[in-house]
């Protein structure tokens, strides 16, 4: 399929792919010259880039499906198209679709993920926590919960974030929260233990 890059996002993707292709010309020799600090920094940068691209991929897959671009261009649904062109399983594609759909409804989380402040596993945990909140919470409370969870992502890994649903219920809707707390919570509703490095 011939690519047309009429958008900033498309041009950025072409640039990223071009830069990655450029690494194929002797990357081992290049990295052999790196200092220990530079090697560590490159590793961290590569992980951040992969995380941000994974989140962008979910957003783009969901947008492709929502706009019907998959059917318009290929005649296939996004699951079949990616299974054929990228050799992805339907489960892998559906994971991207669901992540993208969740992010479409959670603008603060989407922005944090695309900016690299929240990793894909944290995005999944936050989405699950927010989905557990009761329907009777108002839009303002749900937006505040989203902002709170994004803020917690600076302190907690994905597992720690998964335990925060009860805390959010107690803060946002104390009368409707369950009396049972998840493991790791104290009686005064302190946050779960943070994971160390």
């Amino acid at each position: 399929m011939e690519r047309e890059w009429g958008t900033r996002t498309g041009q950025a993707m072409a640039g990223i792919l071009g830069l990655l292709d450029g690494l194929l010309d002797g990357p081992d020799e290049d990295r052999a010259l790196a200092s220990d600090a530079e090697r560590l920094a490159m590793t961290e940068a590569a992980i951040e880039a992969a995380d941000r691209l994974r989140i962008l991929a979910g957003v783009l897959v969901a947008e492709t499906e929502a706009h019907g671009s998959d059917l318009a261009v290929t005649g296939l649904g996004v699951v079949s198209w990616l299974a054929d062109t990228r050799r992805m399983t339907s489960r892998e594609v559906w994971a991207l679709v669901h992540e993208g759909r969740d992010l479409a409804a959670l603008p603060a989380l989407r922005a944090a993920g695309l900016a690299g402040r929240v990793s894909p596993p944290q995005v999944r945990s936050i989405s699950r926590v927010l989905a557990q909140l009761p329907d009777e919470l108002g839009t303002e409370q749900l937006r505040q919960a989203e902002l709170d969870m994004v803020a917690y992502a600076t302190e907690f890994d994905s597992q720690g974030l998964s335990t925060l649903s009860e805390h959010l219920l107690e803060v946002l809707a104390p009368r409707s929260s369950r009396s049972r707390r998840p493991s790791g919570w104290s009686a005064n509703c302190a946050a779960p233990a943070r994971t160390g490095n």
Side-chain angles (χ1 to χ4, degrees), residues 99-131:
E99 288 169 22
R101 286 177 181 170
D102 289 344
L103 289 171
L106 301 168
L109 182 57
R110 180 179 61 244
L114 291 173
R117 295 190 312 270
V118 181
S119 71
Q122 288 177 309
V123 165
R124 286 189 293 278
S125 292
I126 290 171
S127 296
R128 283 188 208 116
V129 166
L130 295 175

Side-chain angles (χ1 to χ4, degrees), residues 73-94:
V73 175
T74 69
L76 298 171
V78 71
V79 175
S80 298
W81 169 62
L82 286 174
D84 183 49
T85 61
R86 300 298 311 159
R87 299 294 181 245
M88 295 173 73
T89 66
S90 59
R91 182 179 181 161
E92 291 167 335
V93 178
W94 278 115

Side-chain angles (χ1 to χ4, degrees), residues 11-25:
Q11 292 167 1
M13 292 299 94
I16 289 167
L17 292 174
L19 290 171
L20 290 174
D21 287 344
L23 290 178
L24 299 176
D25 300 327

Side-chain angles (χ1 to χ4, degrees), residues 116-195:
R117 295 190 312 270
V118 181
S119 71
Q122 288 177 309
V123 165
R124 286 189 293 278
S125 292
I126 290 171
S127 296
R128 283 188 208 116
V129 166
L130 295 175
Q132 293 174 16
L133 294 176
D135 294 337
E136 62 265 18
L137 290 179
T139 303
E140 187 175 319
Q141 286 177 308
L142 292 172
R143 287 292 170 231
Q144 187 58 53
E146 180 184 356
L147 293 171
D148 289 347
M149 290 300 294
V150 168
Y152 288 140
T154 63
E155 302 174 49
F156 299 102
D157 62 19
S158 60
Q159 188 175 0
L161 289 168
S162 293
T163 66
L164 291 174
S165 59
E166 189 69 24
H167 177 66
L168 280 177
L169 282 174
E170 290 180 5
V171 170
L172 294 172
R175 287 182 222 137
S176 67
S177 67
R178 299 174 293 250
S179 59
R180 185 174 89 19
R181 290 184 181 91
S183 62
W185 285 83
S186 69
N188 68 359
C189 201
R194 294 180 178 130
T195 56

